[in-house]
Amino acid sequence: MLEKLLNLISYEELIFSFKEKELYEEFTVHHETFALRSAKVVKISDADLLRKILPEEFSSQMFGSGHLNLLAFVFALRHKILALNSMFHLSALKQNKDPYFHQTKTEFRKIFGGTFIDEFDNIFEMLLPTFWGNSKKLPILGFSAVGCHFVLRDIHSCRAFDAYNIPFCKNYAEGTFCRYHAQEKYWIKSITEEASVQAKLSQFYLDPMNFSQFDEATLEKLVNGFFSHFKAFHESKHIPFISQERVQFLLNFYSFSGLEDLKEKGTIELRKRFLEKAKQYHPDVGGAHDSFREARENYEFLREILVR
């Protein structure tokens, strides 16, 4: 059942959500404010992320289906954020030509499964510092009781992070973390008591077995009901009629000679070309918001043609 929820949350949607600054919220609790603002940490609520990522038709249904259903989606969201955060860790190691890269890659593959490396390769351009508007910084993602956290850090620095105890570490990394934060390695089987709350939370959301701590019978009924509605929607969904000229425009936009060319090259090539456009048009790199939105809508339409 967790796999069903994870499949609804794409890495691309997560990445673009973290790039949209209108989702960011200010820290309001007094003892949090100074340290976290100084460290340039921002937060985004789990609910806002889910509303952004999930199809609009189902957001209201999900939030109206009860507390348990929302918890299930939050668990899936944070599990996916952990996988994405691990990809950023791996990318930092690769940029640094770090000798721990291959070892860490193997460890992540064991934890997240074989498709983790395939996904890492597929979205690698989005895991580079240049995609985030900086020549040497990459995101670190985390979460706490108040939501999800986002911060950019130098790829040479320790990537340890905890919203309350480690908002920033300037030490040079020896692998993913510095020697003082080696206990933050959340993907090993057991972490020490000295590890941060973030590391302990990460280990909880990393383990799919913890998903079963919810009331399984109730959860299954709620989630299966959601997916029945989801399936019915997609089966009834149709591509609105547009002229042949408009179709050809969309194909030309992504440099396909025709529909057969699109179908032959497939979704991976389409996504690759979309990412190239995203790097060109995203407002964070000086592009226009309307141009970026057009590129995304054109991509989604062509992807729908391939899916159907």
Side-chain angles (χ1 to χ4, degrees), residues 117-135:
I117 301 303
D118 294 334
E119 291 285 358
F120 175 79
D121 293 335
N122 287 339
I123 65 169
F124 185 66
E125 291 187 0
M126 303 173 81
L127 303 173
L128 295 173
T130 49
F131 183 80
W132 296 90
N134 196 289
S135 61

Side-chain angles (χ1 to χ4, degrees), residues 58-97:
F58 302 108
S59 292
S60 58
Q61 183 192 7
M62 179 192 70
F63 287 101
S65 296
H67 186 59
L68 190 61
N69 202 26
L70 179 57
L71 284 177
F73 275 92
V74 168
F75 188 100
L77 172 68
R78 293 189 171 196
H79 182 90
K80 200 85 173 193
I81 287 174
L82 270 173
L84 180 58
N85 194 44
S86 300
M87 289 183 183
F88 284 127
H89 290 343
L90 202 58
S91 178
L93 294 175
K94 190 170 185 176
Q95 305 310 304
N96 290 331
K97 297 181 172 59

Side-chain angles (χ1 to χ4, degrees), residues 266-277:
T267 55
I268 293 178
E269 179 61 28
L270 174 61
R271 179 164 64 173
K272 185 184 298 183
R273 296 184 188 189
F274 165 63
L275 294 179
E276 290 172 358
K277 293 285 188 183

Side-chain angles (χ1 to χ4, degrees), residues 132-176:
W132 296 90
N134 196 289
S135 61
K136 59 178 183 177
K137 289 186 178 182
L138 279 175
I140 296 176
L141 310 176
F143 33 75
S144 68
V146 298
C148 301
H149 303 292
F150 171 92
V151 65
L152 286 170
R153 288 288 176 263
D154 191 293
I155 59 173
H156 301 288
S157 298
C158 171
R159 294 183 61 79
F161 171 78
D162 180 85
Y164 303 104
N165 298 314
I166 321 172
F168 189 76
C169 179
K170 296 182 180 180
N171 293 329
Y172 188 82
E174 300 175 8
T176 304

Side-chain angles (χ1 to χ4, degrees), residues 55-308:
E56 183 178 350
E57 294 82 2
F58 302 108
S59 292
S60 58
Q61 183 192 7
M62 179 192 70
F63 287 101
S65 296
H67 186 59
L68 190 61
N69 202 26
L70 179 57
L71 284 177
F73 275 92
V74 168
F75 188 100
L77 172 68
R78 293 189 171 196
H79 182 90
K80 200 85 173 193
I81 287 174
L82 270 173
L84 180 58
N85 194 44
S86 300
M87 289 183 183
F88 284 127
H89 290 343
L90 202 58
S91 178
L93 294 175
K94 190 170 185 176
Q95 305 310 304
N96 290 331
K97 297 181 172 59
D98 194 289
Y100 287 98
F101 171 74
H102 292 290
Q103 176 187 331
T104 306
K105 182 179 179 181
T106 300
E107 291 171 349
F108 284 153
R109 182 191 285 115
K110 289 180 180 177
I111 293 294
F112 295 106
T115 59
F116 174 86
I117 301 303
D118 294 334
E119 291 285 358
F120 175 79
D121 293 335
N122 287 339
I123 65 169
F124 185 66
E125 291 187 0
M126 303 173 81
L127 303 173
L128 295 173
T130 49
F131 183 80
W132 296 90
N134 196 289
S135 61
K136 59 178 183 177
K137 289 186 178 182
L138 279 175
I140 296 176
L141 310 176
F143 33 75
S144 68
V146 298
C148 301
H149 303 292
F150 171 92
V151 65
L152 286 170
R153 288 288 176 263
D154 191 293
I155 59 173
H156 301 288
S157 298
C158 171
R159 294 183 61 79
F161 171 78
D162 180 85
Y164 303 104
N165 298 314
I166 321 172
F168 189 76
C169 179
K170 296 182 180 180
N171 293 329
Y172 188 82
E174 300 175 8
T176 304
F177 306 116
C178 69
R179 58 178 176 168
Y180 299 107
H181 292 127
Q183 72 274 13
E184 296 299 297
K185 199 172 179 180
Y186 54 83
W187 57 91
I188 62 175
K189 286 188 176 180
S190 59
I191 53 177
T192 65
E193 188 60 34
E194 291 75 24
S196 69
V197 172
Q198 177 64 63
K200 294 169 184 174
L201 277 173
S202 296
Q203 194 159 78
F204 174 81
Y205 287 109
L206 189 64
D207 187 355
M209 293 299 293
N210 289 324
F211 186 74
S212 64
Q213 291 191 15
F214 300 111
D215 177 353
E216 191 66 21
T218 306
L219 184 61
E220 184 172 1
K221 183 178 179 180
L222 287 168
V223 175
N224 284 346
F226 175 88
F227 277 99
S228 294
H229 187 68
F230 186 85
K231 182 180 179 182
F233 170 80
H234 276 279
E235 286 177 347
S236 64
K237 187 176 180 182
H238 66 279
I239 300 171
F241 173 78
I242 61 172
S243 67
Q244 288 296 321
E245 290 79 9
R246 177 61 179 167
V247 171
Q248 193 58 53
F249 170 81
L250 296 173
L251 293 167
N252 291 340
F253 188 88
Y254 282 110
S255 302
F256 292 106
S257 60
L259 286 174
E260 290 304 315
D261 185 33
L262 170 66
K263 292 175 182 178
E264 180 182 341
K265 291 191 168 64
T267 55
I268 293 178
E269 179 61 28
L270 174 61
R271 179 164 64 173
K272 185 184 298 183
R273 296 184 188 189
F274 165 63
L275 294 179
E276 290 172 358
K277 293 285 188 183
K279 288 194 297 183
Q280 178 183 353
Y281 292 135
H282 200 281
D284 285 356
V285 293
H289 184 270
D290 288 344
S291 298
F292 175 73
R293 184 176 60 186
E294 180 186 21
R296 190 170 181 178
E297 289 175 353
N298 292 349
Y299 163 69
E300 289 173 352
F301 185 88
L302 293 177
R303 183 179 61 179
E304 184 68 25
I305 292 177
L306 286 172
V307 169
R308 298 184 69 85

